[in-house]
Amino acid sequence: MSGNSFGKLFTVTGFGESHGPALGCIVDGCPPGLEISEADLQTDLDLRKPGTSRHTTQRREADQVKILSGVFEGKTTGTPIGLLIENTDQRSKDYGKIMDRFRPGHADYTYQQKYGFRDYRGGGRSSARETAMRVAAAGIAKKYLREFYGIEIRGYLAQLGSICTETASFDWDVVHQNPFFCPDMALIPELETYMDALRKEGNAVGARVNVVATGVAPGLGEPIFDRLDADIAHAMMSINAVKGVEIGDGFDVINQKATQHRDEITPQGFLSNHAGGVLGGISSGQDVLVSIALKPTSSIRLPGRSVDIHGNAVEVVTEGRHDPCVGIRATPIAEAMLALVLMDHLLRQRAQNPQPQTTTPIIPNKCV
Amino acid sequence: MSGNSFGKLFTVTGFGESHGPALGCIVDGCPPGLEISEADLQTDLDLRKPGTSRHTTQRREADQVKILSGVFEGKTTGTPIGLLIENTDQRSKDYGKIMDRFRPGHADYTYQQKYGFRDYRGGGRSSARETAMRVAAAGIAKKYLREFYGIEIRGYLAQLGSICTETASFDWDVVHQNPFFCPDMALIPELETYMDALRKEGNAVGARVNVVATGVAPGLGEPIFDRLDADIAHAMMSINAVKGVEIGDGFDVINQKATQHRDEITPQGFLSNHAGGVLGGISSGQDVLVSIALKPTSSIRLPGRSVDIHGNAVEVVTEGRHDPCVGIRATPIAEAMLALVLMDHLLRQRAQNPQPQTTTPIIPNKCV
Amino acid sequence: MSGNSFGKLFTVTGFGESHGPALGCIVDGCPPGLEISEADLQTDLDLRKPGTSRHTTQRREADQVKILSGVFEGKTTGTPIGLLIENTDQRSKDYGKIMDRFRPGHADYTYQQKYGFRDYRGGGRSSARETAMRVAAAGIAKKYLREFYGIEIRGYLAQLGSICTETASFDWDVVHQNPFFCPDMALIPELETYMDALRKEGNAVGARVNVVATGVAPGLGEPIFDRLDADIAHAMMSINAVKGVEIGDGFDVINQKATQHRDEITPQGFLSNHAGGVLGGISSGQDVLVSIALKPTSSIRLPGRSVDIHGNAVEVVTEGRHDPCVGIRATPIAEAMLALVLMDHLLRQRAQNPQPQTTTPIIPNKCV
Amino acid sequence: MSGNSFGKLFTVTGFGESHGPALGCIVDGCPPGLEISEADLQTDLDLRKPGTSRHTTQRREADQVKILSGVFEGKTTGTPIGLLIENTDQRSKDYGKIMDRFRPGHADYTYQQKYGFRDYRGGGRSSARETAMRVAAAGIAKKYLREFYGIEIRGYLAQLGSICTETASFDWDVVHQNPFFCPDMALIPELETYMDALRKEGNAVGARVNVVATGVAPGLGEPIFDRLDADIAHAMMSINAVKGVEIGDGFDVINQKATQHRDEITPQGFLSNHAGGVLGGISSGQDVLVSIALKPTSSIRLPGRSVDIHGNAVEVVTEGRHDPCVGIRATPIAEAMLALVLMDHLLRQRAQNPQPQTTTPIIPNKCV
């Protein structure tokens, strides 16, 4: 229990079920003086929200966030910020069929075993619906990081099923111009064809999402346990459907030699960034590079073998509205979690060291 | 700062530098009544300790752990358990050369930037030397999990450089019979040849380590943030040199269809374990499957470009004694971190639910 | 920052300003299966709410609480419980006069210095208005403690100014039958006369509130720092206007001899309860006795010397609606905080010891 | 369990029993660059240590502290500081008589009930012996607060039994010149006579200790729960034998009018300090005034009625060596706890606000 808070100094605590009256969270620890409005938070919420293309769930939610406290005359006051989003388009009747049975590969079974019973409507608390509040809360962190520290956090869909989007014509500018968060417009037709076929089949598929933070100063991260990369791993793995997390070269390091992996340093910059911006659990000043793997949702139309709450064998077919690829909408969520980690560690580093003490010059963040 | 504690109810807090007088930790939250002795903790410490084969660092440490408190008449009392290991084989002079320069790919640079100066002897706090205390502390958790819950945690070296050890003749019984934690004795000659060449070359290589927990009941994990898999990811990524973490199929899920990934359920058992024993952040009762990627150490004899603390370009050659593949000794460390996570979540689940409340039968942990 | 959460396993996190749109909190860590409704929480809220007698502030708030999550089909699900209370009777214009000056003895000055600026309307976050959420959240804990453990928590006004209410005709049953939470109806006229004069004078006065928990089993409390009494002291001192906390005999122990203070034990019960139910930071099974001192509010009509935000000398007169004795409404708040502490420690003790292990008979909780 | 850590950013975690081989603690979160040596910590340890006069326990402990990590070339490195004190003068045989019985008023009974069995030698973990580590850890905080912020923390014995020491001839300079921490040398003969008689009688008595922090800037404290005064109350009540805590006027506020209690403000300073330096849970810049009540120890020679672990009625006489007034040695312990709270909140405030943002002039800390 009490696992619904994230962050030590910049703390986000959330509540809310998929089909409850509302979702909410409390952002505790935001420094005073940040200019913030509901509009600032809405931008990312709109990127995440459902029903914006035929390739995501058809549930229609405005996801309008309300700021209930902690902001006075347009500025944060240093007191906790209460955020609320009302649910408007629940369709709980779709779930009558699964109230007494478990979707294979879904949290239905584990929630039942952990809590003894469960809110089955739309998956209750286990639904990715709660990630709306992560995105809303992170909107505050993102703005603070950008305005006071020049830190930018951006993500994109790196792979969908077998389609890799990291092509030669990678372009950050187009990521928000298509419903897939794809960095190469040339791939959109292929992605659409693939998703249309998948939807028709009633199946789902996995995806990879990459997130990059630029402008992170050296020194963030608190070894030995609260390393920056360890907290990033925690944050990313806490996102629904994520099964793997990589920093920098990730699993490629297994077959790398030291001479190949180590990022050599020159006064003008690093010669590479295999480390992904983290050394010894502390940011190096290079871009922070994170990659995550998202599994296919288990809520599909194709029948699967399972059991009911009495332990009897049953066949499960999921109705209701679902994302055939949850990875698509995961991009703003992954950005959000990275923002929360960086904001928290920024405050922790500030506590330790309000003014940098080192006289060692900082290596420029560029690969020369 | 204050990032040296792990766990919420079973809390391990550590201290100690590679070349300081001693390493220690405090295990706070161990329930009373567990029979424990220094010998119980020594077993895993001896598996991790350096100098046991020519393939690891030649530093000789007995790694003899002392229990200083929390145990009375052979049983834990419920009060904090103080553990201490004295360092005996420091050779700090080896490090004179790097006191004012940064090994590329090493924490030297980030520690200098974060703290303003650093204990350069053997890497100070950033050295994997501290992991001895993780293994010692986890020895208590492992014994508790085994004796009171029948949970077993085992790991092995899954890949070293390009050599994959997950062969058809996988055998748990041989893992501790060779210095590589390799599950297939037939591969030992190949591994030795590879490591001898690597050592001769003065280079280092990465590795993959897998860890499995068996006997974990359904219900461990505290969504939405303190999910079991999220805490595992945090724990694993906090181990020195780890750059990637996977649960179950990990990054393979990207190209999986839902019908392929979801683990179908029958009253007799699950039909597969792609999920790796965690659904919705909560244990399912299946084996918990974790895989991590470890980078090659950056402390190698081959020269690399870098800068000194004044920002001048220098060439760095690392002397001193180092593991050409830190992944080899990482197996007991990865087991230790998984044990700490499971122990902590077991206590958290006990707080919520001293007696299981569900009437839903538990699916047997076997793949039928 | 991030000081708005209370409790380690039963965690309450709050937000909201006196004159903002709403107050709210998240109760994270409530075990599943507790039957709870908004009506259950309303009882105590109505005891605390303003405007119920001429002796408290005339601000009229319905303090209607809404449960937004964590409860399904009338039972807690184990997921976080979101609670919301809308503000309806703000009268912010009253505060125009103090927006740029500091009430002597008020948080105005310290909030300004800490945060750089402040929401001056009704005291913003520093107003006792936020205690409504403490009472709402504790309603859940109180019900759980009562239904599953037979623990009862009750408080009363022990002293108002110079009027001590702990008379020979002490009667728990009348405490909720008068606006003062006074245990002796015979004193009501005297209290009313006193308060009427005080209001007329435009002044305020302090008070003492006592709280008692009955039915607490031995074993709650986590030495050495998270002692039960230490957490109670923390909880009580976190209530607005509290300047002192006592457990059992409190400050009377200074002049007690050991033979006088120690509570002797017989198999039939303890011979006294000077300790107030806590020994070595752990509950003894006797009643937990807590007493707190509340200062007079600093928001009064009588002019006082102060400075404005530019440091100029000014005279301050507080308009707006205020309690001439904040101690009166503090009784349900003090009960609430004791309930939160006991609930949290109950869960912590359950984690350590799901089934009592001791074979030592428990001393009955009665003074023989 | 896991209640042995104190502080959120400056975190002290301790271990050790009265008759175990050693006591220790880990100070995690000390900023780098503080010059610190074992000698710096020894000063306060020597003030607290037993056996220095006939008025305290005759147990002889050198209480020599060792720094095992976190300090390099005489300066803190920012990594955790491990501290160790070896026990040298245990005399466990004295306790054979109470191994199966409970001293009335002692933690014997509650530890037995909580943990199922206990280390009865010298009270095990419940002994005030552990406070040595609090004093050692706080020595680091005290030095940091003094050197970087000019904060001084001083305490004294304010009352012993019926003897009040706050006389007209109060003198800080003599507090450390007598074994009672008494601020008036003229009272020493009276105190000695009193204590000699008490010791002869085989009884014990309570005491009051006051602590003052000077030089605390406005802005420390994190409402609404982690108020500065709330954390002070927690810290003080966590000290063995403490039954009451007051801030400023404490319980005297009950009978104060607002006009009497509120500290009026002028540009030159405050007109009084009834608040004790805390308003709304945040430091005001005035001296922080704390007062605590300590009960008489329950370990006395005079027989008392009790039960044994089987519930049988017994008579208990305590042998072994004990303080007839634990309040005497409590002065450095109370200073230590106040230092830990201020250090933690200083870091928390730094995280929020590295550079003061307010333009409001700070009121000088003097009563004009």
Side-chain angles (χ1 to χ4, degrees):
Chain A
M1 303 180 297
S2 65
N4 291 275
S5 290
F6 187 84
K8 186 167 181 170
L9 289 186
F10 189 86
T11 309
V12 177
T13 306
F15 71 82
E17 277 83 40
S18 179
H19 288 210
L23 305 158
C25 75
I26 300 172
V27 177
D28 195 13
C30 184
L34 173 70
E35 288 190 10
I36 199 84
S37 71
E38 289 162 353
D40 291 318
L41 312 184
Q42 205 59 50
T43 320
D44 280 4
L45 279 168
D46 290 345
L47 289 172
R48 190 215 73 98
K49 84 178 174 198
T52 53
S53 88
R54 72 179 186 276
H55 307 296
T56 62
T57 168
Q58 291 312 291
R59 177 171 175 175
R60 305 271 169 192
E61 290 288 351
D63 280 357
Q64 284 290 342
V65 66
K66 281 194 213 126
I67 297 177
L68 296 178
S69 68
V71 177
F72 181 59
E73 296 175 343
K75 288 217 207 97
T76 57
T77 60
T79 61
I81 302 168
L83 301 177
L84 196 76
I85 291 176
E86 280 164 27
N87 287 324
T88 59
D89 185 26
Q90 307 93 310
R91 210 189 285 162
S92 303
K93 63 174 172 41
D94 293 344
Y95 294 87
K97 285 218 184 78
I98 61 154
M99 66 181 286
D100 65 350
R101 55 189 54 192
F102 309 120
R103 283 164 284 186
H106 193 279
D108 293 338
Y109 175 70
T110 53
Y111 268 66
Q112 183 82 16
Q113 290 293 357
K114 181 178 185 65
Y115 300 114
F117 83 118
R118 71 189 206 280
D119 175 355
Y120 54 81
R121 302 163 308 157
R125 182 68 175 158
S126 74
S127 162
R129 178 94 190 106
E130 52 86 359
T131 58
M133 294 323 301
R134 306 187 188 210
V135 171
I140 298 169
K142 272 183 160 183
K143 191 169 186 198
Y144 192 91
L145 292 169
R146 183 184 302 113
E147 301 214 338
F148 291 91
Y149 291 87
I151 296 173
E152 283 295 337
I153 296 158
R154 298 182 297 181
Y156 60 92
L157 180 76
Q159 189 175 339
L160 186 149
S162 58
I163 308 170
C164 175
T165 69
E166 303 192 83
T167 64
S169 49
F170 183 104
D171 180 0
W172 277 115
D173 298 340
V174 305
V175 169
H176 290 175
Q177 290 167 22
N178 67 79
F180 300 100
F181 299 90
C182 173
D184 179 355
M185 291 306 277
L187 291 169
I188 306 306
E190 184 181 354
L191 289 166
E192 289 184 322
T193 314
Y194 184 93
M195 290 302 297
D196 290 339
L198 188 69
R199 211 164 49 250
K200 194 145 168 250
E201 177 190 346
N203 214 337
V205 75
R208 174 194 290 270
V209 167
N210 291 352
V211 199
V212 180
T214 310
V216 179
L220 302 195
E222 306 298 337
I224 59 168
F225 292 120
D226 297 351
R227 285 170 146 87
L228 182 60
D229 43 3
D231 280 358
I232 290 171
H234 178 173
M236 295 298 163
M237 199 69 91
S238 81
I239 300 172
N240 310 51
V242 171
K243 301 302 285 184
V245 181
E246 295 182 313
I247 306 291
D249 286 357
F251 281 86
D252 291 343
V253 302
I254 295 169
N255 198 12
Q256 286 174 351
K257 292 282 187 73
T259 40
Q260 194 182 347
H261 177 80
R262 63 176 173 182
D263 302 305
E264 292 187 290
I265 311 173
T266 74
Q268 296 70 40
F270 294 85
L271 299 184
S272 55
N273 187 11
H274 298 287
V278 185
L279 290 171
I282 300 169
S283 61
S284 66
Q286 291 198 279
D287 286 356
V288 175
L289 310 176
V290 184
S291 186
I292 60 176
L294 296 107
K295 72 174 187 178
T297 177
S298 52
S299 299
I300 57 172
R301 244 172 37 237
L302 299 171
R305 299 175 60 179
S306 186
V307 298
D308 64 17
I309 61 174
H310 311 296
N312 308 316
V314 295
E315 187 184 74
V316 172
V317 169
T318 312
E319 287 161 4
R321 303 156 297 180
H322 297 282
D323 288 286
C325 177
V326 293
I328 293 177
R329 286 166 57 209
T331 298
I333 303 165
E335 289 178 6
M337 294 314 295
L338 183 55
L340 293 182
V341 172
L342 289 170
M343 183 70 190
D344 193 47
H345 276 281
L346 188 96
L347 296 179
R348 290 177 74 168
Q349 174 62 3
R350 254 168 33 170
Q352 178 224 300
N353 188 1
Q355 289 82 23
Q357 296 173 349
T358 178
T359 59
T360 305
I362 291 173
I363 304 302
N365 174 23
K366 57 174 172 219
C367 289
V368 293
Chain B
M1 303 180 297
S2 65
N4 291 275
S5 290
F6 187 84
K8 187 168 181 170
L9 289 185
F10 188 87
T11 309
V12 176
T13 306
F15 72 82
E17 277 84 39
S18 178
H19 288 211
L23 305 159
C25 75
I26 300 172
V27 178
D28 195 13
C30 184
L34 173 69
E35 288 188 10
I36 199 83
S37 71
E38 289 162 353
D40 291 318
L41 311 184
Q42 205 58 50
T43 320
D44 281 2
L45 279 168
D46 290 345
L47 289 172
R48 191 216 72 97
K49 84 178 175 198
T52 53
S53 88
R54 71 180 185 275
H55 307 296
T56 62
T57 169
Q58 290 312 291
R59 177 171 174 175
R60 306 269 168 195
E61 290 287 353
D63 281 357
Q64 283 291 342
V65 65
K66 283 193 214 126
I67 298 177
L68 297 178
S69 68
V71 177
F72 181 58
E73 295 175 344
K75 288 217 207 99
T76 57
T77 60
T79 62
I81 302 168
L83 301 177
L84 196 77
I85 291 176
E86 280 164 26
N87 287 324
T88 58
D89 185 27
Q90 306 94 308
R91 210 187 287 162
S92 303
K93 61 173 173 44
D94 293 345
Y95 294 88
K97 286 220 185 76
I98 60 155
M99 67 181 285
D100 65 349
R101 53 189 54 191
F102 309 121
R103 284 163 284 185
H106 194 280
D108 293 337
Y109 175 71
T110 53
Y111 269 65
Q112 182 81 16
Q113 290 293 356
K114 181 178 185 65
Y115 300 114
F117 82 118
R118 70 189 208 281
D119 175 355
Y120 54 81
R121 301 163 308 158
R125 182 69 175 157
S126 73
S127 162
R129 178 97 190 101
E130 52 86 358
T131 58
M133 295 322 302
R134 306 188 188 209
V135 170
I140 299 168
K142 271 183 161 182
K143 190 167 186 199
Y144 192 90
L145 292 169
R146 183 184 303 115
E147 301 214 339
F148 291 92
Y149 290 87
I151 296 173
E152 283 295 339
I153 296 159
R154 299 182 296 181
Y156 59 92
L157 180 77
Q159 190 174 340
L160 185 149
S162 58
I163 308 169
C164 175
T165 68
E166 303 192 82
T167 64
S169 50
F170 183 104
D171 180 0
W172 276 115
D173 298 339
V174 304
V175 169
H176 289 176
Q177 291 167 21
N178 66 79
F180 300 101
F181 300 91
C182 173
D184 179 355
M185 290 306 275
L187 292 170
I188 306 306
E190 183 182 353
L191 289 166
E192 288 182 322
T193 315
Y194 184 93
M195 289 302 297
D196 290 338
L198 187 70
R199 209 164 50 250
K200 196 148 164 240
E201 178 190 345
N203 214 337
V205 75
R208 174 194 290 270
V209 167
N210 291 351
V211 198
V212 180
T214 309
V216 179
L220 303 194
E222 306 298 337
I224 59 165
F225 292 119
D226 297 352
R227 286 171 145 87
L228 182 61
D229 43 3
D231 280 358
I232 290 171
H234 178 174
M236 295 298 163
M237 198 69 91
S238 80
I239 300 173
N240 310 51
V242 171
K243 302 302 285 184
V245 180
E246 296 182 312
I247 306 291
D249 286 356
F251 281 86
D252 292 344
V253 301
I254 295 169
N255 197 12
Q256 286 174 351
K257 292 283 188 75
T259 40
Q260 194 182 346
H261 177 80
R262 65 177 172 182
D263 302 305
E264 293 187 290
I265 312 173
T266 75
Q268 295 71 40
F270 294 85
L271 299 184
S272 55
N273 187 12
H274 298 286
V278 185
L279 290 171
I282 299 169
S283 61
S284 66
Q286 290 196 278
D287 287 356
V288 176
L289 309 176
V290 184
S291 185
I292 60 176
L294 295 107
K295 72 175 186 178
T297 179
S298 52
S299 300
I300 57 172
R301 247 175 30 239
L302 298 172
R305 299 174 60 180
S306 187
V307 298
D308 65 17
I309 60 174
H310 311 298
N312 306 316
V314 295
E315 188 184 74
V316 172
V317 170
T318 313
E319 286 161 4
R321 302 156 298 180
H322 297 283
D323 288 286
C325 176
V326 293
I328 293 177
R329 285 166 57 210
T331 298
I333 304 165
E335 289 178 5
M337 293 314 295
L338 184 55
L340 293 181
V341 172
L342 289 170
M343 183 70 190
D344 193 48
H345 276 281
L346 189 96
L347 295 179
R348 290 178 75 168
Q349 174 61 3
R350 252 171 28 173
Q352 177 225 303
N353 187 1
Q355 290 81 22
Q357 297 173 348
T358 178
T359 59
T360 305
I362 290 172
I363 304 302
N365 174 24
K366 56 174 175 219
C367 290
V368 293
Chain C
M1 304 180 297
S2 64
N4 291 276
S5 290
F6 188 84
K8 187 167 180 170
L9 289 186
F10 188 86
T11 309
V12 177
T13 306
F15 72 82
E17 277 84 39
S18 179
H19 288 211
L23 305 158
C25 75
I26 300 172
V27 177
D28 194 13
C30 184
L34 173 69
E35 289 190 9
I36 199 84
S37 71
E38 288 161 354
D40 292 317
L41 311 185
Q42 205 59 50
T43 321
D44 280 3
L45 279 168
D46 290 345
L47 289 171
R48 190 214 73 97
K49 83 178 175 197
T52 54
S53 89
R54 70 179 186 278
H55 307 296
T56 62
T57 169
Q58 291 311 292
R59 177 171 174 176
R60 307 271 168 191
E61 290 288 351
D63 280 356
Q64 285 290 343
V65 65
K66 283 194 214 125
I67 298 177
L68 296 178
S69 68
V71 177
F72 180 59
E73 295 174 345
K75 289 218 208 95
T76 57
T77 59
T79 61
I81 302 168
L83 301 176
L84 197 76
I85 290 176
E86 280 165 26
N87 287 324
T88 58
D89 185 25
Q90 306 95 308
R91 211 187 286 161
S92 304
K93 64 173 170 43
D94 293 344
Y95 295 88
K97 285 218 185 77
I98 60 154
M99 65 182 286
D100 65 351
R101 52 189 55 190
F102 309 120
R103 283 163 284 186
H106 193 280
D108 293 336
Y109 175 70
T110 52
Y111 269 65
Q112 183 82 15
Q113 290 293 357
K114 182 178 183 66
Y115 300 113
F117 82 117
R118 70 189 208 278
D119 175 355
Y120 53 81
R121 302 163 308 157
R125 183 69 175 158
S126 74
S127 162
R129 179 97 190 102
E130 53 85 359
T131 57
M133 296 322 303
R134 305 188 190 209
V135 170
I140 299 168
K142 273 182 158 182
K143 192 170 186 196
Y144 192 90
L145 293 169
R146 182 184 303 115
E147 302 214 336
F148 292 91
Y149 290 87
I151 296 173
E152 283 295 340
I153 295 158
R154 299 181 298 182
Y156 60 93
L157 181 76
Q159 191 174 339
L160 185 150
S162 57
I163 308 169
C164 175
T165 68
E166 302 192 84
T167 65
S169 50
F170 183 105
D171 180 0
W172 276 115
D173 297 341
V174 305
V175 168
H176 290 174
Q177 291 168 22
N178 66 79
F180 301 100
F181 299 91
C182 172
D184 179 356
M185 291 305 278
L187 292 169
I188 306 306
E190 185 181 353
L191 289 165
E192 286 182 324
T193 314
Y194 183 94
M195 290 302 298
D196 290 340
L198 188 70
R199 211 165 48 251
K200 197 148 165 241
E201 177 190 346
N203 215 336
V205 75
R208 175 195 288 271
V209 168
N210 291 354
V211 198
V212 180
T214 310
V216 179
L220 303 195
E222 305 299 338
I224 61 168
F225 292 119
D226 296 353
R227 285 170 145 87
L228 183 61
D229 43 3
D231 280 359
I232 290 171
H234 178 173
M236 295 299 164
M237 199 68 92
S238 80
I239 298 172
N240 310 51
V242 172
K243 301 302 286 185
V245 181
E246 296 183 312
I247 306 292
D249 286 357
F251 281 86
D252 292 343
V253 302
I254 294 169
N255 198 11
Q256 287 174 351
K257 292 283 187 74
T259 39
Q260 196 181 345
H261 177 80
R262 63 177 173 180
D263 302 307
E264 292 187 290
I265 312 172
T266 74
Q268 295 71 39
F270 293 86
L271 299 182
S272 54
N273 187 11
H274 297 286
V278 185
L279 290 171
I282 299 169
S283 62
S284 66
Q286 290 197 280
D287 286 355
V288 175
L289 309 176
V290 184
S291 185
I292 61 175
L294 296 107
K295 71 174 186 178
T297 177
S298 52
S299 301
I300 58 173
R301 248 175 29 238
L302 298 171
R305 300 175 60 181
S306 187
V307 298
D308 65 16
I309 61 175
H310 311 297
N312 308 316
V314 294
E315 188 184 72
V316 172
V317 169
T318 313
E319 285 162 6
R321 303 156 297 180
H322 298 283
D323 289 286
C325 177
V326 291
I328 293 177
R329 286 165 58 210
T331 299
I333 303 164
E335 290 178 5
M337 294 313 295
L338 184 54
L340 293 181
V341 173
L342 289 171
M343 184 69 191
D344 193 47
H345 277 281
L346 187 97
L347 296 179
R348 290 177 74 169
Q349 174 63 1
R350 252 171 28 174
Q352 177 224 302
N353 188 0
Q355 289 84 22
Q357 298 173 345
T358 177
T359 59
T360 305
I362 290 172
I363 304 302
N365 174 24
K366 55 172 175 228
C367 290
V368 292
Chain D
M1 302 179 299
S2 64
N4 291 276
S5 291
F6 187 84
K8 188 167 179 169
L9 289 186
F10 189 87
T11 308
V12 176
T13 305
F15 72 81
E17 277 85 39
S18 179
H19 288 212
L23 305 158
C25 75
I26 300 172
V27 177
D28 194 14
C30 184
L34 173 69
E35 288 189 10
I36 198 83
S37 71
E38 288 162 352
D40 291 318
L41 311 185
Q42 204 59 49
T43 319
D44 280 4
L45 280 168
D46 290 345
L47 289 171
R48 191 214 72 97
K49 84 178 175 198
T52 53
S53 89
R54 70 179 186 275
H55 306 296
T56 62
T57 169
Q58 291 312 292
R59 177 171 174 175
R60 307 269 168 192
E61 289 288 352
D63 280 357
Q64 285 290 344
V65 66
K66 282 195 213 124
I67 297 177
L68 296 178
S69 67
V71 177
F72 180 58
E73 294 173 346
K75 289 217 207 98
T76 57
T77 59
T79 61
I81 302 169
L83 301 176
L84 197 76
I85 291 177
E86 279 166 26
N87 287 325
T88 59
D89 185 26
Q90 307 95 309
R91 211 187 288 160
S92 303
K93 62 174 173 41
D94 292 345
Y95 294 87
K97 286 220 185 75
I98 60 154
M99 66 181 286
D100 65 350
R101 53 189 55 190
F102 309 121
R103 282 163 286 186
H106 193 279
D108 293 338
Y109 175 70
T110 52
Y111 269 65
Q112 182 82 16
Q113 291 293 357
K114 182 178 184 65
Y115 300 113
F117 83 117
R118 71 188 207 282
D119 175 355
Y120 54 80
R121 302 163 308 158
R125 183 69 176 157
S126 74
S127 163
R129 179 96 190 104
E130 53 86 359
T131 58
M133 295 323 301
R134 304 189 189 210
V135 171
I140 299 169
K142 272 182 159 183
K143 192 169 187 198
Y144 192 91
L145 292 168
R146 183 184 304 115
E147 302 215 336
F148 291 91
Y149 290 87
I151 296 173
E152 283 296 339
I153 296 158
R154 299 182 297 182
Y156 60 93
L157 181 76
Q159 190 174 338
L160 185 150
S162 58
I163 307 170
C164 175
T165 68
E166 301 192 84
T167 65
S169 49
F170 183 104
D171 180 359
W172 277 114
D173 297 341
V174 305
V175 169
H176 290 174
Q177 292 168 20
N178 66 81
F180 300 100
F181 299 91
C182 172
D184 179 356
M185 291 305 278
L187 292 170
I188 306 305
E190 184 181 354
L191 289 166
E192 287 181 325
T193 313
Y194 184 94
M195 290 302 297
D196 291 339
L198 188 69
R199 209 165 49 249
K200 194 144 166 252
E201 177 190 347
N203 215 335
V205 75
R208 175 195 288 271
V209 168
N210 291 353
V211 198
V212 180
T214 310
V216 179
L220 303 195
E222 306 298 337
I224 61 170
F225 291 119
D226 297 352
R227 285 170 146 86
L228 183 61
D229 42 4
D231 280 358
I232 290 171
H234 179 173
M236 295 299 163
M237 199 68 92
S238 81
I239 299 173
N240 309 50
V242 172
K243 301 302 286 185
V245 181
E246 296 183 312
I247 306 292
D249 286 358
F251 281 86
D252 291 343
V253 301
I254 294 169
N255 198 12
Q256 286 174 351
K257 293 282 187 75
T259 40
Q260 195 181 345
H261 177 80
R262 64 176 173 182
D263 302 306
E264 292 187 289
I265 312 172
T266 74
Q268 295 71 39
F270 294 85
L271 299 183
S272 54
N273 187 10
H274 298 285
V278 185
L279 290 172
I282 299 169
S283 62
S284 66
Q286 290 197 278
D287 287 356
V288 176
L289 309 175
V290 184
S291 186
I292 61 176
L294 296 106
K295 71 174 186 178
T297 177
S298 51
S299 300
I300 58 172
R301 245 172 35 234
L302 298 171
R305 299 175 60 181
S306 187
V307 298
D308 64 16
I309 60 175
H310 311 298
N312 306 318
V314 295
E315 188 184 72
V316 172
V317 169
T318 312
E319 285 161 6
R321 302 156 297 181
H322 297 283
D323 288 286
C325 178
V326 291
I328 293 177
R329 286 166 57 209
T331 298
I333 303 165
E335 290 178 4
M337 294 314 294
L338 184 55
L340 293 182
V341 173
L342 289 171
M343 184 69 190
D344 193 47
H345 276 281
L346 187 97
L347 296 179
R348 289 177 76 169
Q349 175 62 2
R350 263 185 1 187
Q352 177 223 302
N353 188 1
Q355 289 84 20
Q357 297 173 347
T358 177
T359 60
T360 304
I362 290 172
I363 304 301
N365 174 24
K366 56 175 175 227
C367 289
V368 293

